[in-house]
Amino acid sequence: MTDGGKAVKGTGDATPLADFLSKALALVRPLPPVDIDMTQSTGAVLAENAVNPGPLPAFDYAAIDGYACAADDIAGASPERGVGLKVLGDLAASSWRPVRLVPGTCFSVAAGAALPVGADIVVPLAWTDEGMATVDVRQAPRRGHGVRRMGSERPSGEILAHEGRRVTPQLVALLAAAGIADVVVRPTPRVVVIATGDELVDTGRPSQPGQLIDVNSHLVTAAASEAGAHAYRVGICDDEPDALRTVLDDQILRADLVITTGGTGTGPGDMVRRTFSRDGAVDFAPIAVYLCETMGFGTIGPEEVPVVCLPGDPVAATIAFEVVARPLIQRLAGAEPVFRPSVRANLTEPVSSPSGLREFRPVRVAERRGGGYTVAPLGSTSYTLSGLAEATGLMTVGENATRVPAGSTVDVLLLDRNR
């Protein structure tokens, strides 16, 4: 059978992706937690709940510039009939001495200033004559206007962020406001990327017969970084077992995960499979995923560092990374869920799919004005680097589906919704 001009191998006793991935995820544990400075935690995943140590805000304060007073003192104020108040003084955001109102008085306050005792409203400057010794209030806002009460945003002891949440700049701001200086997170996974093949040459020059540009090490390094890892591109390794072992010996101490590309087939030149199979460390069972039937997973070295062996074809390597390597990175980071977000979408054109293999087809995803999503196939460019550069999702087609009609509702993994 063929699809898009590519021959599809017989599936035989290929392992379903779900079985392969569940075994791999079972062998990978989240990295041990560390306590780090909150400002250095962006991108990491919380290893325990972040609990608010005190009320937020910590005290009553003015949310706007204006005059802090008692609402009862200005009840009925209007442009036609203003209410006069004596201004007892000015309060800046840096003012720290407690002050108290008496009936018929107010304080001029800046946003952020602690609220005087007895004040329950801040009148905006525009609703007054902006007087200095006395002020004429010409409109009365509702009680509580312009005021932020202690604990109104988050009470003391409340969980600000749950274990498993990735730290964002916005969360850093919330933690800082709560007075949290350190957080317990999972370290960012360190991923070492190795491309194998005697035919590979570095980018920056045109390829010639017998030479192929090393796309995979750049591709996988970028993908691992996008997944939240510290990714290290080792570059090209020759098709020699001793060369691969030397690279691994050099790199394994700084790796939480090793990803190789190429050499996973059964041919005489497939060095990665021959090397790891000889050591008995990596399982290369055939996988029932279109274009990615040859993947490996296992652990290497005394520290039993996980290793994922992806196919050498760049498009196949991309799909294999998304469905296997990326979830493993998320597991190491302690993130949940480990999979990309998915949506149900309406298929705009019919597609055919190989029997017996789960397919992750690159597609364009669009949101409809009335709600929901549509998904459009990329035609003849689906399984090319050009198509991948245009794709915003991977449409999932099950092993038993050989044709999906237009109008069908399909599952789509979202890759990039900004294009």
Side-chain angles (χ1 to χ4, degrees):
M1 174 177 184
T2 63
D3 184 89
K6 291 180 179 288
V8 178
K9 301 176 184 177
T11 58
D13 297 325
T15 302
L17 174 63
D19 293 347
F20 178 85
L21 188 54
S22 64
K23 290 179 181 178
L25 287 171
L27 289 174
V28 173
R29 296 286 183 267
L31 298 174
V34 294
D35 192 325
I36 65 172
D37 185 285
M38 176 267 298
T39 59
Q40 304 299 318
S41 66
T42 303
V45 174
L46 292 176
E48 62 180 39
N49 296 337
V51 179
N52 193 15
L56 182 64
F59 52 86
D60 298 342
Y61 72 90
I64 59 174
D65 295 335
Y67 295 89
C69 60
D72 291 342
D73 283 348
I74 59 170
S78 68
E80 297 78 22
R81 186 178 179 182
V83 174
L85 298 174
K86 182 180 180 181
V87 181
L88 298 180
D90 299 328
L91 298 177
S94 59
S95 300
W96 59 273
R97 293 184 181 277
V99 294
R100 181 182 296 272
L101 291 177
V102 295
T105 65
C106 67
F107 278 87
S108 173
V109 294
L115 210 63
V117 177
D120 56 9
I121 198 170
V122 176
V123 181
L125 296 173
W127 295 6
T128 73
D129 66 352
E130 302 187 30
M132 299 179 66
T134 62
V135 63
D136 191 47
V137 179
R138 297 166 180 170
Q139 186 174 342
R142 293 181 179 180
R143 192 184 306 273
H145 182 85
V147 172
R148 294 291 301 278
R149 289 295 184 187
M150 181 177 67
S152 60
E153 185 171 344
R154 295 294 182 91
S156 177
E158 184 177 78
I159 295 175
L160 299 178
H162 288 270
E163 175 186 355
R165 176 174 173 178
R166 195 175 297 277
V167 179
T168 63
Q170 295 76 24
L171 180 56
V172 167
L174 177 61
L175 298 175
I180 296 176
D182 300 293
V183 289
V184 180
V185 299
R186 304 285 178 183
T188 301
R190 302 165 301 166
V191 176
V192 168
V193 179
I194 306 169
T196 67
D198 289 337
E199 75 281 8
L200 299 180
V201 294
D202 281 321
T203 188
R205 59 176 179 171
S207 60
Q208 300 175 1
Q211 297 180 335
L212 293 175
I213 299 294
D214 170 27
V215 172
N216 285 346
S217 68
H218 298 281
L219 162 72
V220 175
T221 301
S225 296
E226 189 269 341
H230 285 315
Y232 304 94
R233 174 183 172 265
V234 174
I236 302 168
C237 179
D238 294 336
D239 276 333
E240 292 291 339
D242 289 342
L244 178 59
R245 290 193 179 95
T246 298
V247 170
L248 291 173
D249 288 342
D250 289 342
Q251 300 295 326
I252 200 168
L253 289 178
R254 69 168 179 175
D256 299 308
L257 174 68
V258 173
I259 302 178
T260 69
T261 66
T264 60
T266 57
D270 290 316
M271 177 269 299
V272 171
R273 184 173 188 142
R274 288 190 293 111
T275 301
F276 283 138
S277 295
R278 184 181 308 162
D279 297 338
V282 179
D283 181 11
F284 285 91
I287 313 300
V289 176
Y290 181 54
L291 286 186
C292 309
E293 295 103 307
T294 54
M295 286 187 279
F297 176 79
T299 59
I300 55 176
E303 300 298 325
E304 297 186 336
V305 175
V307 58
V308 180
C309 303
L310 306 183
D313 176 77
V315 177
T318 299
I319 295 171
F321 178 89
E322 286 294 331
V323 300
V324 174
R326 194 177 197 280
L328 293 175
I329 292 173
Q330 300 303 309
R331 173 58 56 84
L332 286 167
E336 290 293 345
V338 297
F339 302 105
R340 282 191 184 271
S342 65
V343 297
R344 301 279 283 168
N346 185 263
L347 182 62
T348 61
E349 301 174 27
V351 299
S352 60
S353 186
S355 176
L357 297 175
R358 180 166 292 269
E359 182 179 13
F360 294 88
R361 180 185 291 256
V363 291
R364 291 192 187 94
V365 187
E367 291 190 56
R368 294 185 294 202
R369 286 187 177 181
Y373 298 84
T374 60
V375 57
L378 295 172
S380 60
T381 65
S382 290
Y383 290 105
T384 65
L385 291 177
S386 297
L388 282 176
E390 295 297 322
T392 56
L394 294 176
M395 181 180 73
T396 305
V397 183
E399 291 87 346
N400 297 323
T402 57
R403 184 168 178 80
V404 186
S408 299
T409 300
V410 295
D411 292 313
V412 185
L413 296 175
L414 298 178
L415 296 179
D416 183 354
R417 298 176 64 185
N418 297 319
R419 285 184 280 161

Coordinates of all heavy atoms in Angstrom, one line a residue, residues 306-388:
P306 N 17.8 7.7 30.6 CA 17.0 7.3 29.5 C 17.5 7.7 28.1 O 18.1 8.8 28.0 CB 15.6 7.9 29.8 CG 15.8 8.8 31.0 CD 17.2 8.6 31.5
V307 N 17.4 6.9 27.1 CA 17.8 7.3 25.7 C 16.6 6.9 24.8 O 16.0 5.9 24.9 CB 19.1 6.5 25.3 CG1 18.9 5.0 25.4 CG2 19.5 6.9 23.9
V308 N 16.3 7.9 23.9 CA 15.3 7.7 22.8 C 16.1 7.7 21.5 O 16.8 8.6 21.2 CB 14.3 8.8 22.9 CG1 13.2 8.5 21.8 CG2 13.6 8.8 24.2
C309 N 15.8 6.7 20.7 CA 16.4 6.6 19.4 C 15.4 6.9 18.3 O 14.5 6.1 18.1 CB 17.1 5.2 19.2 SG 18.3 4.8 20.4
L310 N 15.5 8.0 17.6 CA 14.5 8.4 16.6 C 15.0 8.1 15.2 O 16.2 7.9 15.0 CB 14.3 9.9 16.7 CG 13.9 10.5 18.1 CD1 13.7 12.0 17.9 CD2 12.7 9.8 18.7
P311 N 14.1 8.0 14.3 CA 14.5 7.7 12.9 C 15.3 8.8 12.3 O 15.4 9.9 12.8 CB 13.1 7.6 12.1 CG 12.1 7.4 13.2 CD 12.6 8.1 14.4
G312 N 16.0 8.5 11.2 CA 16.9 9.4 10.6 C 16.2 10.4 9.6 O 16.7 11.5 9.4
D313 N 15.1 10.0 9.1 CA 14.3 10.9 8.2 C 13.8 12.1 9.0 O 13.2 11.9 10.1 CB 13.1 10.2 7.6 CG 12.3 11.2 6.7 OD1 12.7 11.5 5.6 OD2 11.2 11.6 7.2
P314 N 14.1 13.4 8.6 CA 13.7 14.5 9.5 C 12.2 14.6 9.8 O 11.8 15.0 10.9 CB 14.2 15.7 8.7 CG 15.3 15.2 7.8 CD 14.9 13.8 7.5
V315 N 11.4 14.3 8.8 CA 9.9 14.4 9.1 C 9.5 13.3 10.1 O 8.8 13.5 11.0 CB 9.1 14.2 7.8 CG1 7.6 14.2 8.1 CG2 9.5 15.4 6.8
A316 N 10.1 12.1 9.9 CA 9.8 11.0 10.8 C 10.3 11.3 12.2 O 9.7 11.0 13.2 CB 10.4 9.7 10.3
A317 N 11.5 11.9 12.2 CA 12.1 12.3 13.5 C 11.2 13.3 14.2 O 11.1 13.3 15.5 CB 13.5 12.8 13.3
T318 N 10.6 14.3 13.5 CA 9.8 15.3 14.1 C 8.6 14.6 14.7 O 8.2 14.9 15.9 CB 9.3 16.3 13.0 OG1 10.4 16.9 12.5 CG2 8.4 17.3 13.6
I319 N 7.9 13.7 14.0 CA 6.7 13.1 14.5 C 7.1 12.2 15.7 O 6.4 12.2 16.7 CB 6.0 12.3 13.4 CG1 5.5 13.2 12.3 CG2 4.9 11.4 14.0 CD1 5.0 12.5 11.1
A320 N 8.2 11.4 15.6 CA 8.6 10.6 16.7 C 8.9 11.4 17.9 O 8.6 11.0 19.1 CB 9.8 9.7 16.3
F321 N 9.6 12.6 17.7 CA 9.9 13.4 18.9 C 8.6 13.9 19.6 O 8.4 13.8 20.8 CB 10.6 14.7 18.4 CG 10.9 15.6 19.6 CD1 12.0 15.5 20.3 CD2 10.0 16.6 19.9 CE1 12.3 16.3 21.4 CE2 10.2 17.5 21.0 CZ 11.4 17.3 21.7
E322 N 7.6 14.3 18.8 CA 6.3 14.8 19.3 C 5.6 13.7 20.1 O 5.0 14.0 21.2 CB 5.4 15.3 18.2 CG 5.9 16.7 17.7 CD 5.8 17.8 18.7 OE1 4.9 17.7 19.6 OE2 6.6 18.7 18.6
V323 N 5.6 12.5 19.6 CA 4.7 11.5 20.3 C 5.4 10.7 21.3 O 4.8 10.0 22.1 CB 4.1 10.6 19.2 CG1 3.2 11.4 18.2 CG2 5.1 9.8 18.4
V324 N 6.8 10.7 21.3 CA 7.5 9.9 22.3 C 8.5 10.8 23.1 O 8.4 10.8 24.4 CB 8.3 8.8 21.6 CG1 9.2 8.1 22.6 CG2 7.4 7.8 20.9
A325 N 9.4 11.5 22.5 CA 10.4 12.2 23.2 C 9.8 13.4 24.0 O 10.2 13.6 25.2 CB 11.5 12.7 22.3
R326 N 9.0 14.1 23.4 CA 8.4 15.3 24.1 C 7.7 14.9 25.4 O 7.9 15.5 26.5 CB 7.5 16.1 23.2 CG 7.1 17.5 23.8 CD 6.3 18.2 22.8 NE 6.3 19.6 23.1 CZ 5.5 20.2 24.0 NH1 4.7 19.5 24.7 NH2 5.6 21.5 24.2
P327 N 6.8 13.8 25.4 CA 6.2 13.4 26.7 C 7.2 13.0 27.7 O 7.0 13.2 28.9 CB 5.3 12.2 26.2 CG 5.0 12.5 24.8 CD 6.2 13.1 24.2
L328 N 8.3 12.4 27.3 CA 9.3 12.0 28.3 C 10.0 13.2 28.9 O 10.3 13.2 30.1 CB 10.4 11.1 27.6 CG 9.9 9.7 27.1 CD1 11.0 9.0 26.4 CD2 9.4 8.9 28.3
I329 N 10.2 14.2 28.1 CA 10.8 15.5 28.7 C 9.8 16.1 29.7 O 10.2 16.5 30.8 CB 11.1 16.5 27.5 CG1 12.2 16.0 26.7 CG2 11.4 17.9 28.1 CD1 12.5 16.8 25.4
Q330 N 8.5 16.1 29.4 CA 7.5 16.6 30.3 C 7.5 15.8 31.6 O 7.3 16.3 32.7 CB 6.2 16.6 29.6 CG 6.1 17.5 28.4 CD 6.5 18.9 28.6 OE1 6.0 19.6 29.5 NE2 7.4 19.4 27.8
R331 N 7.6 14.5 31.5 CA 7.6 13.6 32.7 C 8.9 13.9 33.5 O 8.8 14.0 34.8 CB 7.6 12.1 32.2 CG 7.8 11.1 33.4 CD 6.7 11.2 34.4 NE 5.4 11.1 33.9 CZ 4.8 10.0 33.7 NH1 5.4 8.8 34.0 NH2 3.5 10.0 33.3
L332 N 10.0 14.1 32.9 CA 11.2 14.4 33.7 C 11.1 15.8 34.4 O 11.5 15.9 35.5 CB 12.4 14.5 32.7 CG 13.0 13.2 32.2 CD1 14.0 13.5 31.1 CD2 13.7 12.4 33.3
A333 N 10.4 16.7 33.7 CA 10.2 18.0 34.3 C 9.1 18.0 35.4 O 8.9 19.0 36.1 CB 9.8 19.0 33.2
G334 N 8.3 16.9 35.5 CA 7.3 16.8 36.5 C 6.0 17.5 36.0 O 5.1 17.8 36.8
A335 N 5.9 17.8 34.7 CA 4.7 18.5 34.2 C 3.6 17.5 34.0 O 3.8 16.4 33.6 CB 5.1 19.2 32.9
E336 N 2.4 18.0 34.2 CA 1.2 17.2 33.8 C 0.2 18.2 33.2 O 0.0 19.3 33.7 CB 0.5 16.6 35.1 CG 1.3 15.5 35.7 CD 1.4 14.2 34.9 OE1 0.6 14.1 33.9 OE2 2.2 13.4 35.1
P337 N -0.5 17.8 32.1 CA -0.3 16.5 31.4 C 1.0 16.5 30.6 O 1.6 17.6 30.4 CB -1.5 16.4 30.5 CG -1.8 17.9 30.2 CD -1.5 18.6 31.4
V338 N 1.5 15.3 30.1 CA 2.7 15.3 29.4 C 2.5 15.5 27.9 O 3.5 15.6 27.2 CB 3.4 13.9 29.6 CG1 3.8 13.7 31.1 CG2 2.6 12.7 29.2
F339 N 1.3 15.4 27.5 CA 1.0 15.6 26.0 C 0.6 17.0 25.7 O 0.1 17.7 26.5 CB -0.1 14.6 25.6 CG 0.2 13.2 25.9 CD1 -0.4 12.5 27.0 CD2 1.1 12.5 25.2 CE1 -0.1 11.2 27.3 CE2 1.4 11.1 25.5 CZ 0.8 10.5 26.6
R340 N 0.8 17.3 24.4 CA 0.3 18.6 23.9 C -1.2 18.7 24.0 O -1.9 17.7 24.0 CB 0.7 18.8 22.5 CG 2.2 19.2 22.2 CD 2.3 19.6 20.8 NE 3.7 19.9 20.5 CZ 4.3 21.1 20.6 NH1 3.6 22.1 21.1 NH2 5.5 21.3 20.2
P341 N -1.7 19.9 24.1 CA -3.2 20.1 24.1 C -3.8 19.6 22.8 O -3.1 19.7 21.7 CB -3.4 21.6 24.3 CG -2.1 22.2 23.9 CD -1.1 21.2 24.3
S342 N -5.0 19.0 22.8 CA -5.6 18.5 21.6 C -7.0 19.1 21.6 O -7.6 19.5 22.6 CB -5.6 17.0 21.6 OG -6.4 16.5 22.6
V343 N -7.6 19.2 20.3 CA -8.9 19.7 20.1 C -9.6 18.7 19.1 O -8.9 17.9 18.4 CB -8.9 21.1 19.5 CG1 -8.3 22.1 20.5 CG2 -8.2 21.2 18.2
R344 N -10.9 18.8 19.1 CA -11.7 18.1 18.1 C -12.0 19.1 17.0 O -12.4 20.2 17.3 CB -13.0 17.6 18.7 CG -12.8 16.6 19.9 CD -12.6 15.2 19.5 NE -13.8 14.5 19.0 CZ -13.8 13.4 18.3 NH1 -12.6 12.8 18.0 NH2 -14.9 12.8 18.0
A345 N -11.8 18.6 15.8 CA -11.9 19.6 14.7 C -12.6 18.9 13.5 O -12.6 17.7 13.4 CB -10.5 20.1 14.2
N346 N -13.2 19.7 12.7 CA -13.9 19.3 11.5 C -13.0 19.2 10.3 O -12.4 20.2 9.9 CB -15.1 20.2 11.2 CG -16.0 19.7 10.1 OD1 -15.9 20.2 9.0 ND2 -16.9 18.8 10.4
L347 N -12.9 18.1 9.7 CA -12.0 17.8 8.5 C -12.6 18.4 7.3 O -13.7 18.1 6.9 CB -11.7 16.4 8.4 CG -10.7 15.9 7.3 CD1 -9.3 16.5 7.5 CD2 -10.7 14.4 7.2
T348 N -11.8 19.3 6.6 CA -12.3 20.0 5.4 C -12.2 19.2 4.1 O -13.0 19.4 3.1 CB -11.6 21.3 5.2 OG1 -10.2 21.1 5.0 CG2 -11.8 22.2 6.4
E349 N -11.3 18.2 4.0 CA -11.1 17.4 2.9 C -10.9 15.9 3.2 O -10.3 15.7 4.3 CB -9.8 17.9 2.1 CG -9.9 19.3 1.6 CD -8.6 19.7 1.0 OE1 -7.9 18.9 0.4 OE2 -8.3 20.9 1.1
P350 N -11.2 15.0 2.4 CA -11.0 13.6 2.7 C -9.5 13.2 2.7 O -8.7 13.8 1.9 CB -11.8 12.8 1.6 CG -11.8 13.8 0.5 CD -11.9 15.1 1.1
V351 N -9.1 12.3 3.5 CA -7.7 11.8 3.5 C -7.7 10.3 3.6 O -8.6 9.7 4.1 CB -6.9 12.4 4.7 CG1 -6.8 13.9 4.6 CG2 -7.5 11.9 6.0
S352 N -6.7 9.7 3.0 CA -6.4 8.3 3.1 C -5.3 8.1 4.1 O -4.5 8.9 4.3 CB -6.1 7.6 1.8 OG -4.9 8.2 1.2
S353 N -5.3 6.9 4.7 CA -4.3 6.6 5.8 C -3.9 5.1 5.7 O -4.7 4.3 5.3 CB -4.8 6.9 7.1 OG -3.9 6.8 8.1
P354 N -2.6 4.8 6.0 CA -2.2 3.4 5.9 C -2.8 2.5 6.9 O -3.0 2.9 8.1 CB -0.7 3.5 6.1 CG -0.5 4.7 6.8 CD -1.5 5.7 6.4
S355 N -3.2 1.3 6.6 CA -3.9 0.4 7.5 C -2.9 -0.2 8.5 O -1.7 -0.5 8.1 CB -4.5 -0.8 6.7 OG -5.1 -1.7 7.5
G356 N -3.3 -0.3 9.7 CA -2.5 -0.9 10.7 C -1.5 0.0 11.4 O -0.8 -0.5 12.3
L357 N -1.4 1.2 11.0 CA -0.5 2.2 11.6 C -1.2 3.4 12.1 O -2.1 3.9 11.4 CB 0.6 2.6 10.6 CG 1.5 1.5 10.0 CD1 2.4 2.1 9.0 CD2 2.4 0.9 11.2
R358 N -0.9 3.9 13.2 CA -1.4 5.2 13.7 C -0.7 6.3 13.0 O 0.5 6.3 12.9 CB -1.3 5.3 15.2 CG -1.9 6.6 15.8 CD -2.0 6.5 17.3 NE -3.1 5.6 17.6 CZ -4.3 5.9 17.8 NH1 -4.7 7.2 17.7 NH2 -5.2 5.0 18.2
E359 N -1.4 7.2 12.5 CA -0.8 8.3 11.7 C -1.0 9.6 12.4 O -2.1 9.9 13.0 CB -1.5 8.4 10.3 CG -0.9 9.5 9.4 CD -1.5 9.6 8.1 OE1 -2.6 9.0 7.8 OE2 -0.9 10.3 7.2
F360 N 0.0 10.5 12.4 CA 0.0 11.8 12.9 C 0.3 12.7 11.8 O 1.5 13.0 11.5 CB 1.0 12.0 14.1 CG 0.6 11.2 15.3 CD1 1.1 9.9 15.4 CD2 -0.1 11.7 16.3 CE1 0.8 9.1 16.6 CE2 -0.5 11.0 17.4 CZ 0.0 9.7 17.6
R361 N -0.7 13.2 11.1 CA -0.6 13.9 9.8 C -0.4 15.4 10.1 O -1.3 16.0 10.7 CB -1.7 13.6 8.9 CG -1.7 14.3 7.6 CD -3.0 14.1 6.8 NE -3.1 12.7 6.4 CZ -2.8 12.3 5.1 NH1 -2.5 13.2 4.2 NH2 -2.9 11.0 4.8
P362 N 0.6 16.0 9.6 CA 0.7 17.5 9.7 C -0.4 18.2 9.0 O -0.7 17.9 7.8 CB 2.1 17.8 9.0 CG 2.9 16.5 9.1 CD 1.8 15.5 9.0
V363 N -1.1 19.1 9.6 CA -2.2 19.8 9.1 C -2.2 21.3 9.5 O -1.5 21.7 10.4 CB -3.6 19.1 9.6 CG1 -3.7 17.8 9.0 CG2 -3.6 19.1 11.1
R364 N -3.2 22.1 8.9 CA -3.4 23.4 9.4 C -4.7 23.4 10.2 O -5.7 22.9 9.8 CB -3.6 24.4 8.2 CG -2.3 24.6 7.4 CD -2.5 25.8 6.5 NE -1.3 26.0 5.6 CZ -1.2 25.5 4.4 NH1 -2.2 24.7 3.9 NH2 -0.2 25.7 3.6
V365 N -4.7 24.0 11.3 CA -5.8 24.1 12.2 C -6.3 25.6 12.3 O -5.5 26.5 12.4 CB -5.5 23.6 13.7 CG1 -6.8 23.6 14.5 CG2 -4.8 22.3 13.6
A366 N -7.6 25.8 12.2 CA -8.2 27.1 12.3 C -9.4 27.1 13.2 O -10.1 26.2 13.2 CB -8.5 27.6 10.9
E367 N -9.5 28.2 13.9 CA -10.7 28.4 14.8 C -11.8 29.0 13.9 O -11.6 30.0 13.2 CB -10.4 29.3 15.9 CG -9.5 28.7 17.0 CD -9.4 29.5 18.2 OE1 -10.4 29.8 18.8 OE2 -8.3 29.9 18.6
R368 N -13.0 28.5 14.1 CA -14.2 29.0 13.4 C -14.8 30.2 14.2 O -14.7 30.2 15.4 CB -15.2 27.9 13.2 CG -14.8 26.8 12.3 CD -15.9 25.8 12.0 NE -16.3 25.1 13.2 CZ -16.9 23.9 13.1 NH1 -17.2 23.4 12.0 NH2 -17.2 23.3 14.3
R369 N -15.4 31.1 13.5 CA -16.0 32.3 14.1 C -17.0 31.9 15.1 O -17.1 32.5 16.2 CB -16.5 33.3 13.1 CG -15.5 34.0 12.3 CD -16.1 35.1 11.4 NE -15.1 35.9 10.7 CZ -15.5 36.9 9.9 NH1 -16.7 37.2 9.7 NH2 -14.5 37.5 9.3
G370 N -17.8 30.9 14.8 CA -18.9 30.5 15.7 C -18.5 29.6 16.8 O -19.3 29.1 17.5
G371 N -17.2 29.3 16.8 CA -16.7 28.3 17.8 C -16.3 27.0 17.2 O -16.7 26.6 16.1
G372 N -15.4 26.3 17.8 CA -14.9 25.1 17.3 C -13.7 25.3 16.3 O -13.2 26.4 16.1
Y373 N -13.3 24.2 15.7 CA -12.1 24.2 14.8 C -12.3 23.5 13.5 O -13.2 22.6 13.4 CB -10.9 23.5 15.5 CG -10.5 24.2 16.8 CD1 -11.1 23.9 18.0 CD2 -9.4 25.1 16.8 CE1 -10.7 24.5 19.2 CE2 -9.0 25.7 18.0 CZ -9.7 25.4 19.2 OH -9.3 26.0 20.4
T374 N -11.6 23.9 12.5 CA -11.5 23.1 11.3 C -10.0 22.7 11.1 O -9.1 23.4 11.6 CB -12.0 24.0 10.1 OG1 -11.1 25.1 9.9 CG2 -13.4 24.4 10.2
V375 N -9.9 21.7 10.3 CA -8.5 21.2 10.0 C -8.4 20.9 8.5 O -9.3 20.2 8.0 CB -8.2 19.9 10.9 CG1 -9.2 18.8 10.7 CG2 -6.8 19.4 10.6
A376 N -7.3 21.4 7.9 CA -7.1 21.2 6.5 C -5.9 20.5 6.2 O -4.8 20.8 6.7 CB -7.1 22.6 5.8
P377 N -5.9 19.4 5.4 CA -4.7 18.7 5.1 C -3.8 19.5 4.2 O -4.2 20.5 3.6 CB -5.2 17.5 4.2 CG -6.7 17.4 4.6 CD -7.1 18.8 4.9
L378 N -2.5 19.2 4.2 CA -1.5 19.9 3.4 C -1.2 19.3 2.0 O -0.3 19.8 1.4 CB -0.2 20.0 4.2 CG -0.3 20.8 5.5 CD1 1.0 20.6 6.4 CD2 -0.6 22.3 5.3
G379 N -1.9 18.3 1.7 CA -1.8 17.8 0.3 C -0.4 17.1 0.2 O 0.1 16.4 1.1
S380 N 0.2 17.3 -1.0 CA 1.4 16.6 -1.3 C 2.6 17.0 -0.4 O 3.6 16.4 -0.4 CB 1.8 16.8 -2.8 OG 2.0 18.2 -3.0
T381 N 2.5 18.2 0.3 CA 3.6 18.6 1.1 C 3.5 18.1 2.6 O 4.3 18.5 3.4 CB 3.7 20.2 1.1 OG1 2.5 20.7 1.7 CG2 3.8 20.7 -0.3
S382 N 2.5 17.3 2.8 CA 2.2 16.9 4.2 C 3.5 16.4 4.9 O 3.8 16.7 6.0 CB 1.1 15.8 4.3 OG -0.1 16.4 4.0
Y383 N 4.2 15.5 4.2 CA 5.3 14.8 4.8 C 6.7 15.4 4.2 O 7.5 14.6 3.8 CB 5.2 13.3 4.7 CG 4.1 12.8 5.6 CD1 2.9 12.4 5.0 CD2 4.3 12.7 6.9 CE1 1.9 11.9 5.8 CE2 3.3 12.3 7.8 CZ 2.1 11.8 7.2 OH 1.1 11.4 8.0
T384 N 6.7 16.7 4.2 CA 8.0 17.4 3.8 C 8.3 18.4 4.8 O 7.5 18.8 5.7 CB 7.8 18.1 2.4 OG1 6.9 19.1 2.6 CG2 7.3 17.1 1.3
L385 N 9.6 18.9 4.8 CA 10.0 19.9 5.8 C 9.2 21.2 5.5 O 8.9 21.9 6.4 CB 11.5 20.2 5.6 CG 12.4 19.0 6.1 CD1 13.9 19.4 5.9 CD2 12.1 18.8 7.6
S386 N 8.9 21.5 4.2 CA 8.0 22.6 3.9 C 6.7 22.5 4.6 O 6.1 23.5 5.1 CB 7.9 22.8 2.4 OG 9.2 23.0 1.8
G387 N 6.1 21.3 4.5 CA 4.8 21.1 5.1 C 4.8 21.2 6.6 O 4.0 21.9 7.2
L388 N 5.9 20.7 7.2 CA 6.0 20.8 8.7 C 6.1 22.3 9.1 O 5.6 22.7 10.2 CB 7.2 20.0 9.2 CG 7.1 18.5 9.3 CD1 8.4 17.9 9.7 CD2 6.0 18.1 10.3

